[in-house]
Amino acid sequence: MDKKQIPDIAISRLPGYLQVLEQMAREGFGVVSSLQLGKRLNISPAQIRKDFSHFGEFGQQGKGYPLFSLMDQLQQILHIDRIWQVVLVGAGDLGCALGNYQGFRMRGFDIVKIYDNDPMKIGKKTGALTIEDVNQMPEDVKKLQIKLGILTVTQLSAQQVADVMMAAGIRAILNYTGVNLQVTAPVHVQNIDPVMQLLHMTYYLADD
Amino acid sequence: MDKKQIPDIAISRLPGYLQVLEQMAREGFGVVSSLQLGKRLNISPAQIRKDFSHFGEFGQQGKGYPLFSLMDQLQQILHIDRIWQVVLVGAGDLGCALGNYQGFRMRGFDIVKIYDNDPMKIGKKTGALTIEDVNQMPEDVKKLQIKLGILTVTQLSAQQVADVMMAAGIRAILNYTGVNLQVTAPVHVQNIDPVMQLLHMTYYLADD
DNA sequence: TAGATTGTTAATCGATTAACAATC
DNA sequence: TAGATTGTTAATCGATTAACAATC
């Protein structure tokens, strides 16, 4: 199972598969076919079988995939058969909203720290979290061995804060800043930039 | 310029090109080559020239692309040579944070209304906006001819609220709910689901 | 058994890149 | 002019899909 040869585009579909499987579990399914899964996701059954086949054989000919064992497999593949601790840097409105968003905890991501550099904010509570001094962050990350970070600072300090996070041991950054972060080898970045996504859609809105 | 034949994957890169061009304009560039642009975006120069060629000839052989005219062209192609009005439904923490995010306005997206269905919230101010009754939304959308909506409601009401938005005339939805919205023909959806993006990254984080 | 669906191969489709004539 | 870079074609690369033997 050499990861290098599994296309990232296949990886990128796995979380969606898992999400739909969770939904179908709630609906009471015990077995699911690639056809059923594909209908809900607008993905061809062949695509789904091909994606799974990169990781092993999870189904039974003539039957389909046992739902719970498939979910287990996907959770192992995505490494979410555990709780991930997460730090969040940037306690603005967006950062605080995300820090208190229960959707992360429900899916196994525990935001354990929220930081800012503004003396007016440090020490204040936001939900269950207390905003801490960002200078404390590297020590915490090292001590707690945290690998995941969420970045919601201003554009001006984005790269600099990211550099500090990476130096402390953060290996994956969810980047809300809109800045194209420069990172090196083992660090992963996913960008969330709503303006970019609006621009993508306005293309398709006719001039009238 | 028949849109149907231009691949969506090429469209999806245009906002990124524009973003980098704006940065280079601030840095004082007057002309930019596909090579320079590609270096900043980790995209091959051939790819960039190919993408542009779907829309016309914007460069000069031997010189490159005049920066400002290229930006103008991209803005026209993406239909952002104007201000777009936007409605936001769901005045939770995230919705309010987004409603007051200046990044939207700076890039030409004006969030003019924010709605909720909670009587405790209706009438309250959040930044410069007053939270209004979601039942008022269809009338406003029709009157103001608004085409863009941001959805930050709970998963439970997501599809239902989206249906109302579409019926009122909304043509593009930025969907923060994590629900896979069912939409019909001329309506576009872009999903923002941070948990999905975290799951994509945890795949690459080794077990230790 | 007959029907269904997997896992996989080969064919197809589409996107990216290399190369180069055109030309500024 | 010589050097540089576009726009475009053809080649390459990779992803998706169709098809089907295996088998539950």
Side-chain angles (χ1 to χ4, degrees):
Chain A
M1 195 162 68
D2 184 350
K3 282 178 181 183
K4 291 296 138 53
Q5 75 204 26
I6 298 175
D8 183 69
I9 193 158
I11 311 295
S12 74
R13 283 187 290 260
L14 300 184
Y17 297 155
L18 187 56
Q19 187 187 43
V20 169
L21 291 171
E22 286 166 359
Q23 176 60 33
M24 294 179 84
R26 282 192 295 272
E27 292 174 21
F29 284 79
V31 174
V32 63
S33 70
S34 57
L35 188 68
Q36 292 173 313
L37 208 41
K39 279 226 179 87
R40 300 211 181 199
L41 286 154
N42 269 355
I43 293 178
S44 79
Q47 175 93 89
I48 290 171
R49 296 199 299 275
K50 180 89 175 186
D51 285 346
F52 290 164
S53 76
H54 289 117
F55 303 97
E57 308 189 354
F58 306 140
Q60 288 178 283
Q61 276 111 324
K63 293 278 171 54
Y65 300 88
L67 193 138
F68 288 100
S69 85
L70 179 56
M71 284 175 59
D72 275 355
Q73 296 280 356
L74 288 176
Q75 283 166 357
Q76 276 177 42
I77 292 164
L78 294 171
H79 301 134
I80 51 165
D81 46 359
R82 73 199 75 179
I83 304 287
W84 287 93
Q85 295 192 316
V86 183
V87 294
L88 188 152
V89 186
D93 286 348
L94 179 63
C96 291
L98 292 173
N100 294 303
Y101 174 53
Q102 291 312 306
F104 286 121
R105 282 175 190 80
M106 278 168 37
R107 304 289 300 274
F109 295 97
D110 191 10
I111 300 177
V112 292
K113 297 278 186 182
I114 180 167
Y115 302 99
D116 207 289
N117 70 343
D118 180 350
M120 298 291 291
K121 288 180 182 165
I122 295 167
K124 288 245 171 73
K125 286 221 128 192
T126 169
L129 295 165
T130 302
I131 300 170
E132 297 180 49
D133 189 328
V134 68
N135 292 318
Q136 180 65 30
M137 183 259 288
E139 194 183 316
D140 292 343
V141 166
K142 279 173 206 153
K143 192 163 61 188
L144 299 170
Q145 304 225 43
I146 293 173
K147 303 291 172 215
L148 291 172
I150 299 178
L151 192 61
T152 52
V153 299
T154 61
Q155 298 210 341
L156 226 59
S157 58
Q159 181 67 56
Q160 179 210 318
V161 174
D163 289 341
V164 174
M165 290 168 83
M166 293 185 284
I170 291 293
R171 295 278 307 280
I173 298 176
L174 194 57
N175 174 31
Y176 280 86
T177 66
V179 172
N180 224 318
L181 296 178
Q182 302 303 310
V183 303
T184 43
V187 178
H188 297 267
V189 174
Q190 290 271 315
N191 297 305
I192 294 186
D193 190 339
V195 173
M196 297 285 241
Q197 298 193 245
L198 285 174
L199 294 178
H200 189 167
M201 290 195 288
T202 52
Y203 170 81
Y204 291 103
L205 299 187
D207 328 68
D208 25 44
Chain B
M1 194 163 68
D2 185 347
K3 282 178 181 186
K4 293 295 139 58
Q5 75 204 26
I6 298 174
D8 183 69
I9 193 156
I11 310 297
S12 75
R13 283 187 290 261
L14 301 184
Y17 296 155
L18 187 55
Q19 187 187 41
V20 169
L21 291 171
E22 286 166 358
Q23 176 60 32
M24 294 179 84
R26 283 191 294 271
E27 292 174 20
F29 284 79
V31 175
V32 64
S33 71
S34 57
L35 188 69
Q36 292 173 312
L37 207 43
K39 278 226 180 87
R40 299 210 182 201
L41 286 154
N42 269 353
I43 293 179
S44 79
Q47 175 93 89
I48 290 171
R49 297 200 298 277
K50 180 86 173 187
D51 284 347
F52 290 164
S53 76
H54 289 116
F55 303 99
E57 308 189 356
F58 306 140
Q60 288 178 283
Q61 274 111 326
K63 293 277 171 55
Y65 301 88
L67 194 139
F68 288 99
S69 86
L70 179 57
M71 284 175 58
D72 275 356
Q73 296 279 356
L74 288 176
Q75 284 166 357
Q76 277 178 40
I77 291 164
L78 293 171
H79 301 133
I80 51 166
D81 46 358
R82 72 199 74 179
I83 304 285
W84 286 93
Q85 296 193 317
V86 183
V87 294
L88 189 153
V89 187
D93 286 348
L94 180 63
C96 290
L98 292 173
N100 293 304
Y101 175 53
Q102 290 312 306
F104 286 121
R105 285 177 187 77
M106 279 166 39
R107 305 289 300 276
F109 294 98
D110 191 10
I111 300 177
V112 293
K113 296 277 186 184
I114 181 167
Y115 302 98
D116 207 289
N117 71 342
D118 179 350
M120 299 291 291
K121 288 180 181 165
I122 295 167
K124 288 246 170 72
K125 285 219 130 192
T126 169
L129 295 164
T130 301
I131 300 170
E132 297 180 49
D133 189 329
V134 67
N135 292 319
Q136 179 66 29
M137 182 259 289
E139 193 182 318
D140 292 342
V141 166
K142 280 174 206 151
K143 192 164 60 190
L144 299 171
Q145 305 224 39
I146 293 174
K147 304 289 172 216
L148 290 172
I150 299 178
L151 191 62
T152 52
V153 300
T154 61
Q155 297 209 344
L156 226 59
S157 58
Q159 182 66 55
Q160 178 209 320
V161 173
D163 289 341
V164 174
M165 291 168 82
M166 293 186 284
I170 291 292
R171 294 278 308 279
I173 298 176
L174 193 58
N175 174 31
Y176 281 85
T177 67
V179 172
N180 223 318
L181 296 178
Q182 303 303 312
V183 303
T184 42
V187 179
H188 297 266
V189 174
Q190 291 271 314
N191 297 304
I192 294 185
D193 189 339
V195 172
M196 297 284 240
Q197 298 194 244
L198 285 174
L199 294 178
H200 188 168
M201 290 194 289
T202 53
Y203 170 80
Y204 292 103
L205 299 187
D207 325 69
D208 26 48

